[in-house]
Amino acid sequence: MTEQLRRAPLKSTPRPRDRKQRIVEVAGHLFYRHGFHNVSTSQIAAEVGITAGALYRHFKGKQDLLSHALTDGFDQATRFVLEGSPEDLGEVITGIATTAGERRYMGVLWNREARFLDDEARTAMRARFFTFIDEFSRQLRSARPDLSAGQADLLTWAALAVLTSPSYHSTELEPDDIIDMLERMALAVCTTSLTGSDDGAEPQPVPTVVGLRPHGRREAILAAATPLIHQFGYQAVSMEDVGESVGISGAAVYKYFAKKSDLLSAVIARASEPLQLGASRALGRARDSAEGVTNLLDAYIEFALVHHDLVGILVAEVTNLPEEHRRQVRRSQHDYVAEWIRLVRETRPQIEERRARFLVHAVLTVVNDVTRTDHLRRRRSVEQDLQIMCRRILDVTL
């Protein structure tokens, strides 16, 4: 009888969509598109088709909603790791890829919005996140005994970057195709053979721009504002904070930047210009498309290692720009990615544009996430490791 029940097809009956889950999904998408501070509970309720009072019967407020949106994804991904077998790493990755594909907003919520949780919720969320990282790394080492602890940790972070990379673009594919691509790219990362181990070695100093503080007051303000915005977030940094770090009053900062958004615009302009110049130099040295891809990759890794704080601001703060400047930055980013896609398709003409876009964004997200993570950026072999992993992604069979 038990066997008959096991083999019998399940009959499904229509059920109303779970309202609480629907609220979480709508909130996650709105936070993703507009930013946590730019979305109200009234907007979330209206999108769901309920009153704000009905929303508060399920959740305490926006922070509770953000916490649920993140918790749901982390817990499901962790279950796949805990229940999976090291003998079938691909099955584990498929499960996590499915979670990531269904919750495309997860990467942006974690990297851009989680910092706005209160201390208690943020601590709990970080614990969930690092539980996933630790368990996935453990599973990876079980499947690949050749890996050191440091190598497995790096590959885990890079695979997670691949899986969350669709957060950073809106290219559409069929849901099954997205999951398939994520699975293939993440598996390519997890099966990468790294050439060296940093375990037990002294970490290298982080490459940074060093020297004297600029004498010009405006440049000094920009130099001080960049690490502050990167570390604490645009919303949490005041003009007084910036002025104090330079040794002037907040009122004095307003002499150079009439609004705080003007300061952010200037900081992001500083990030965009060297990135574009580096890309131009990389392409100018290339003899063909294949060399162009290699040069672009090397140039971006170099840029991100040196300017990891600017990379963090480009990832997390563009939504806080005034609309016109936000459009300009988005156009610049689009043009930069388009150069990558053009070269990738010239080297692999069988790949359609949409799939090439997924490959390129996966590569850029791996570089962004690794270079913005202190202990990974300090690996002595980090530059070479990134080159190897990213080339594996670009070579994925589709």
Side-chain angles (χ1 to χ4, degrees), residues 213-225 228 238-257 263:
R213 174 177 288 176
H215 180 70
R217 184 60 54 82
R218 185 178 188 278
E219 285 300 309
I221 291 170
L222 288 171
L228 287 175
S238 68
M239 296 294 250
E240 287 71 25
D241 295 329
V242 175
E244 183 179 354
S245 67
V246 181
I248 60 176
S249 67
V253 177
Y254 283 103
K255 295 178 182 178
Y256 299 89
F257 301 96
L263 176 59

Side-chain angles (χ1 to χ4, degrees), residues 330-349:
R330 293 300 190 202
R331 282 196 296 269
S332 176
Q333 291 173 330
H334 180 273
D335 291 345
Y336 180 76
V337 171
E339 287 289 356
W340 278 83
I341 293 171
R342 176 182 64 83
L343 294 171
V344 168
R345 295 192 70 204
E346 286 177 0
T347 59
R348 300 184 65 185

